[in-house]
Amino acid sequence: MKRLKRILPLMILVFAISSIAAQRGESPIRIFGYFQNSFQQWTEEDNRQELNSFSLQQLNLFFQKDLARNWTAFINFEFLNNFSSIRQWGSANLEEAWVKFRLNEKFNLKLGLQIPIFNNLNTIKNRTPLLPYIIRPIAYETSFNEIIPLEELAPARAFAQVYGFLSAGKLKVDYAAYLGNSPNINNDRNRGPTGLDTSNTILVGGRLGIRFRELKLGISATRENRGDFRSLAPLFGRPLSALEEVPSVRLGGDFSLNVANFSFESEFINVNINDNIPEFELDLDFYYGTLGYYLTDQLFLYGSYWVIKSRIELLFLQNGFIDDEEVVVPNAGISYNLNDRIHLKGQFARVRDHDIEFDSSGVLNSDTKDNFSVYALAVSIFF
């Protein structure tokens, strides 16, 4: 009884503190995340060395806390490719650190480092257990960041965003608009603090879409000014100011539909550098389509087709080149949801890379083909 008398006031105090926090809208910090471990076999073809490897392909660690009524804070750390700083493997990134004000489903405001809404996959690409792929459509496969400039295709960072949806019966209209830094980020400590925008420009972007029952489609766009081409201007006989702030526009579209046990989703992305110099052209295009079928509620089969094209045209006063490259990746896979937290996957992909280069007079310099297959198994976990 004496022990109960000592414990009772403590319990009342804890209950009172919890009640005050609840009235303020606070909550304990919620820690959760996703990770995916995979095994991949890359075949030997066209002088490419055969290889196989196990990999902690990606891990995302999230921290979320309700700060007050309608206010939530969120932090996202991402680790890629068997990350180890001492061994100089992979990479670790602070992907997000934002605070959100949610008035209702019609209006949300996010302030801070965040992944902006662009097409369908950009904001959910890190949710590996929710996606059937082991290797995701190329524009969103973050484990390829070291070899493919993915941020050229889809925007990776914004710092202020408003979004929500409006309802009209069964029809919903989605909207998003955001601001962020331009690509002109300082990575040289001798020039001052790194990670800061070195220009007087910003990224502007957004998405407008509709949802009707199982149909979803949208159009996305961003615009930013780039200053990393200035050094090329004298080679075209132009002043540096001609390439000081070159507009770069991304245009994207997404479409998805679920009918009975079938699902289909697709996206396209076009990146165009508007430099106003005929001798200087940079274009990048990406699109994919995936058709899937649920054999059961847990077992999903799919076939997918990805294409990425690039064109670089640099016709300098003295010399230059034109380079056209196309990477085509037909692939197929299977995903089995063992339960809500454990997902098993298999995937096969055939990669065909064709790169043609001409000199400034139109003479063929090289015609390179790189073809190989990828076999992959993975387990994705939500914890």
Side-chain angles (χ1 to χ4, degrees):
M1 184 65 70
K2 290 181 179 179
R3 185 178 180 184
L4 180 60
K5 289 180 178 179
R6 290 196 299 267
I7 295 176
L8 189 58
L10 180 60
M11 293 176 62
I12 294 174
L13 178 61
V14 171
F15 178 76
I17 293 174
S18 301
S19 298
I20 293 171
Q23 291 172 5
R24 292 177 177 176
E26 294 184 15
S27 70
I29 294 178
R30 183 186 173 208
I31 302 174
F32 62 103
Y34 307 103
F35 67 83
Q36 179 165 287
N37 283 286
S38 68
F39 174 81
Q40 298 183 22
Q41 173 85 37
W42 295 42
T43 62
E44 177 184 5
E45 296 180 45
D46 298 324
N47 298 316
R48 171 182 289 275
Q49 181 180 354
E50 185 175 16
L51 62 88
N52 61 63
S53 181
F54 293 97
S55 173
L56 173 56
Q57 191 174 338
Q58 181 166 331
L59 182 151
N60 288 85
L61 185 60
F62 305 128
F63 299 83
Q64 181 176 311
K65 181 177 175 61
D66 294 331
L67 303 176
R69 185 167 297 173
N70 300 338
W71 289 91
T72 301
F74 183 84
I75 297 174
N76 170 16
F77 292 99
E78 184 172 89
F79 304 87
L80 301 172
N81 298 333
N82 291 335
F83 171 71
S84 172
S85 60
I86 195 171
R87 299 179 180 88
Q88 298 183 356
W89 293 350
S91 62
N93 303 290
L94 175 60
E95 289 288 292
E96 298 179 89
W98 47 257
V99 62
K100 179 179 73 172
F101 171 75
R102 183 182 188 277
L103 181 63
N104 49 43
E105 70 273 3
K106 298 177 182 178
F107 181 84
N108 294 269
L109 171 66
K110 276 187 185 179
L111 299 173
L113 177 62
Q114 60 195 275
I115 300 171
I117 296 172
F118 185 87
N119 283 357
N120 183 47
L121 281 186
N122 199 42
T123 53
I124 62 172
K125 61 189 175 185
N126 55 33
R127 304 177 187 179
T128 50
L130 305 183
L131 302 176
Y133 314 102
I134 297 174
I135 300 174
R136 290 156 288 186
I138 298 171
Y140 303 107
E141 183 48 66
T142 52
S143 66
F144 290 168
N145 255 326
E146 296 167 308
I147 57 174
I148 298 176
L150 299 183
E151 293 185 22
E152 300 287 345
L153 288 164
R157 288 173 299 276
F159 283 86
Q161 180 170 222
V162 293
Y163 65 96
F165 69 86
L166 305 174
S167 298
K170 294 182 179 180
L171 179 68
K172 294 181 174 62
V173 178
D174 299 312
Y175 75 91
Y178 46 85
L179 302 173
N181 286 330
S182 77
N184 311 302
I185 306 301
N186 181 29
N187 58 5
D188 183 358
R189 289 182 173 84
N190 294 322
R191 298 176 57 193
T194 58
L196 302 184
D197 196 335
T198 60
S199 70
N200 193 33
T201 65
I202 59 174
L203 163 75
V204 179
R207 178 183 181 274
L208 184 65
I210 63 171
R211 285 177 287 155
F212 181 74
R213 295 181 178 175
E214 298 300 316
L215 169 67
K216 177 181 178 181
L217 59 90
I219 188 86
S220 303
T222 69
R223 187 190 187 280
E224 55 196 359
N225 290 346
R226 304 183 56 155
D228 48 347
F229 303 124
R230 292 178 72 250
S231 61
L232 298 178
L235 300 177
F236 298 109
R238 308 295 176 94
L240 292 178
S241 58
L243 292 177
E244 189 167 15
E245 291 186 0
V246 178
S248 175
V249 177
R250 290 186 192 91
L251 181 64
D254 61 272
F255 173 87
S256 58
L257 177 66
N258 295 298
V259 178
N261 290 342
F262 288 93
S263 73
F264 178 77
E265 64 178 34
S266 66
E267 293 190 19
F268 78 85
I269 301 172
N270 169 259
V271 181
N272 185 257
I273 309 295
N274 302 309
D275 51 71
N276 294 319
I277 297 179
E279 302 82 14
F280 178 28
E281 180 182 346
L282 292 174
D283 287 301
L284 191 60
D285 293 282
F286 168 77
Y287 60 87
Y288 84 91
T290 299
L291 177 64
Y293 181 77
Y294 286 94
L295 287 174
T296 69
D297 290 341
Q298 296 172 291
L299 185 60
F300 182 70
L301 303 177
Y302 68 89
S304 194
Y305 193 80
W306 314 335
V307 178
I308 183 169
K309 298 180 181 181
S310 66
R311 178 177 177 83
I312 303 173
E313 185 172 319
L314 299 175
L315 302 179
F316 302 133
L317 293 176
Q318 302 298 326
N319 52 34
F321 68 93
I322 299 173
D323 184 273
D324 287 304
E325 183 175 10
E326 180 181 68
V327 180
V328 178
V329 188
N331 62 99
I334 183 171
S335 175
Y336 180 74
N337 299 339
L338 191 63
N339 56 42
D340 290 341
R341 294 182 177 273
I342 304 174
H343 300 251
L344 307 177
K345 303 177 184 180
Q347 188 174 7
F348 166 77
R350 180 65 180 169
V351 181
R352 300 195 297 267
D353 184 353
H354 191 192
D355 190 359
I356 303 176
E357 183 178 314
F358 300 88
D359 66 17
S360 56
S361 59
V363 177
L364 181 66
N365 279 343
S366 64
D367 186 346
T368 305
K369 295 182 180 179
D370 187 10
N371 303 317
F372 59 96
S373 298
V374 179
Y375 301 86
L377 297 171
V379 56
S380 292
I381 304 296
F382 167 53
F383 63 92

